[in-house]
Amino acid sequence: MPRAGLSTAAVVDAAVAVIDDAGPGGLTLAAVAAHTGVAAPSLYKHVTGLGELRTLVGARVIEEVTDRLSAAVLGRSRDDAVTALMHAYRGYVVAHPGRYAAIPPDPLRDPALADAGSKLLDVFLAVMHGYGLRDAPAVHAVRNLRSVVHGFTAIETSGGFGLAESLDDTYAQLIEMVLAGLPRSPR
Amino acid sequence: MPRAGLSTAAVVDAAVAVIDDAGPGGLTLAAVAAHTGVAAPSLYKHVTGLGELRTLVGARVIEEVTDRLSAAVLGRSRDDAVTALMHAYRGYVVAHPGRYAAIPPDPLRDPALADAGSKLLDVFLAVMHGYGLRDAPAVHAVRNLRSVVHGFTAIETSGGFGLAESLDDTYAQLIEMVLAGLPRSPR
DNA sequence: CCACAAAGCTATGCGCATTAGCCAAGAATG
DNA sequence: CATTCTTGGCTAATGCGCATAGCTTTGTGG
């Protein structure tokens, strides 16, 4: 019997693949096992269980999102940065809806995700710094921004916007709304 | 064996109770059966399965939300109505996070929910009419509003806002942002 | 009183997570 | 090169939840 040569990372890879075409709800150890060509119990040699696997996938995805967003705002500031951030965010979610949905809702609470989560938060905070926002005002602004992008993309990817009007148009308007809500201090 | 005297409605009641203290993830036929004092298979006499039960719960919740929101905007218009709507929305979600999370993401697609869903949508649309918005502009405005309230409440109830700053303050700012984003045509 | 529909039950099967315990692959050691 | 031992894989078995089948009882209407 040749060994499969798995590793924790490889199992997470497989899990991401499973999520990509079955959604987070389709993430089962059985599916991951099938995908890696191994019997389900063997996965326990690399992962303590389904719970940990979910956490690991979450961390992986958060890092991926952080990379994308960082790249998108690189070299930009203020409205330019916010616009780029919002487009990149939506772009990621649309490209990988399953992965996005696999992010646990409260990463900052879980020690295993706190690190990745706070790095992602830092990207948002950095953009707010460009407006001279710090501390509480920056926190509120980031929350607003997160609410907007998460809300829109969550509804969009779950097919919650029933009607036919262009979603791009809606999103453009949403970006305007956010920009208008940020401090207009002269540059 | 005295009969339990169940009915579809009673089963849905029990399901809502289960969701209230275990979240939508805790909704299992076994739990509902335990709650109603009946054996699990007996539930099939009132419901075709877990799937239908979820749908029925969804419809129930959507109607409840619609009632709350309608009442909140009754007699109000424009900014006043939007503010009331947003507060009522958040109020419901905070009061019943499990129920809110039990709403299927795309009610308009499911024939069994389309009716309830479109009535809820009508409440939002009616508020937009107060600004003279119709058709496409109204649709975009409703989408924006939904994105904001859904995003904020989803993150709030899942504990996704890690830091200590006041969520009420954030929400107040969010309301301002929304109001500022709506057409300012003189009244 | 009787028949029959409705509402409950037990028994069973299936899929998935998880645990326990066995065995072989292959690296490390002499 | 032979031996050992760790490690990654396996099969078997348990438990839980959904679902189906088929029996039994309730209680209602003739």
Side-chain angles (χ1 to χ4, degrees):
Chain A
M1 277 102 231
R3 292 210 176 175
L6 283 190
S7 66
T8 300
V11 171
V12 175
D13 288 346
V16 169
V18 167
I19 283 177
D20 277 342
D21 61 55
L27 178 57
T28 121
L29 288 183
V32 173
H35 196 275
T36 54
V38 121
S42 307
L43 297 174
Y44 287 84
K45 288 288 155 82
H46 305 285
V47 144
T48 68
L50 183 58
E52 190 191 50
L53 181 54
R54 289 206 186 101
T55 301
L56 292 172
V57 168
R60 168 82 63 93
V61 172
I62 292 174
E63 285 160 17
E64 199 174 26
V65 170
T66 303
D67 287 351
R68 290 268 199 124
L69 299 192
S70 303
V73 300
L74 190 67
R76 300 175 194 273
S77 72
R78 298 171 63 93
D79 290 4
D80 216 24
V82 171
T83 304
L85 185 70
M86 290 181 71
H87 279 303
Y89 197 104
R90 180 180 176 219
Y92 183 87
V93 180
V94 168
H96 307 291
R99 293 185 202 182
Y100 180 72
I103 297 179
D106 54 348
L108 296 182
R109 293 234 193 278
D110 186 336
L113 294 173
D115 222 61
S118 85
K119 273 181 195 149
L120 176 53
L121 200 52
D122 285 345
V123 176
F124 282 81
L125 281 170
V127 170
M128 293 312 159
H129 284 177
Y131 288 95
L133 297 175
R134 313 242 150 203
D135 305 320
V139 169
H140 291 302
V142 167
R143 284 175 177 171
N144 287 356
L145 185 47
R146 282 183 62 205
S147 295
V148 169
V149 292
H150 177 263
F152 181 87
T153 57
I155 301 178
E156 176 180 20
T157 60
S158 61
F161 291 129
L163 308 170
E165 277 77 8
S166 158
L167 288 170
D168 289 353
D169 288 357
T170 299
Y171 200 63
Q173 231 178 269
L174 207 46
I175 293 177
E176 286 309 312
M177 175 187 285
V178 169
L179 294 180
L182 285 167
R184 294 290 84 191
S185 63
R187 182 151 94 77
Chain B
M1 264 112 224
R3 291 208 177 176
L6 283 190
S7 66
T8 300
V11 171
V12 174
D13 288 346
V16 169
V18 167
I19 282 177
D20 275 342
D21 60 55
L27 178 57
T28 123
L29 288 182
V32 173
H35 196 275
T36 53
V38 122
S42 307
L43 297 175
Y44 287 84
K45 288 287 153 83
H46 305 285
V47 144
T48 68
L50 183 58
E52 190 191 51
L53 181 54
R54 288 206 186 100
T55 301
L56 291 173
V57 168
R60 168 83 62 93
V61 173
I62 292 174
E63 283 160 18
E64 199 174 26
V65 171
T66 304
D67 287 350
R68 290 268 200 124
L69 299 192
S70 303
V73 300
L74 189 66
R76 301 176 194 273
S77 72
R78 298 170 63 92
D79 290 4
D80 216 23
V82 171
T83 304
L85 184 71
M86 289 181 72
H87 280 303
Y89 197 103
R90 181 180 175 217
Y92 183 87
V93 179
V94 168
H96 307 291
R99 294 185 201 181
Y100 180 71
I103 298 178
D106 54 349
L108 296 183
R109 293 233 194 278
D110 186 335
L113 294 173
D115 222 60
S118 86
K119 274 181 195 148
L120 176 52
L121 200 52
D122 286 345
V123 176
F124 281 82
L125 281 170
V127 170
M128 294 311 160
H129 284 176
Y131 288 95
L133 297 174
R134 312 244 151 203
D135 305 320
V139 169
H140 291 301
V142 167
R143 285 175 177 171
N144 287 356
L145 185 47
R146 281 183 62 205
S147 295
V148 169
V149 293
H150 177 263
F152 181 88
T153 57
I155 301 178
E156 176 181 18
T157 60
S158 62
F161 289 130
L163 308 171
E165 277 77 8
S166 158
L167 287 170
D168 289 353
D169 288 357
T170 300
Y171 201 62
Q173 232 177 270
L174 207 46
I175 293 176
E176 286 310 312
M177 175 186 286
V178 169
L179 294 180
L182 286 168
R184 294 291 83 191
S185 62
R187 184 156 95 77

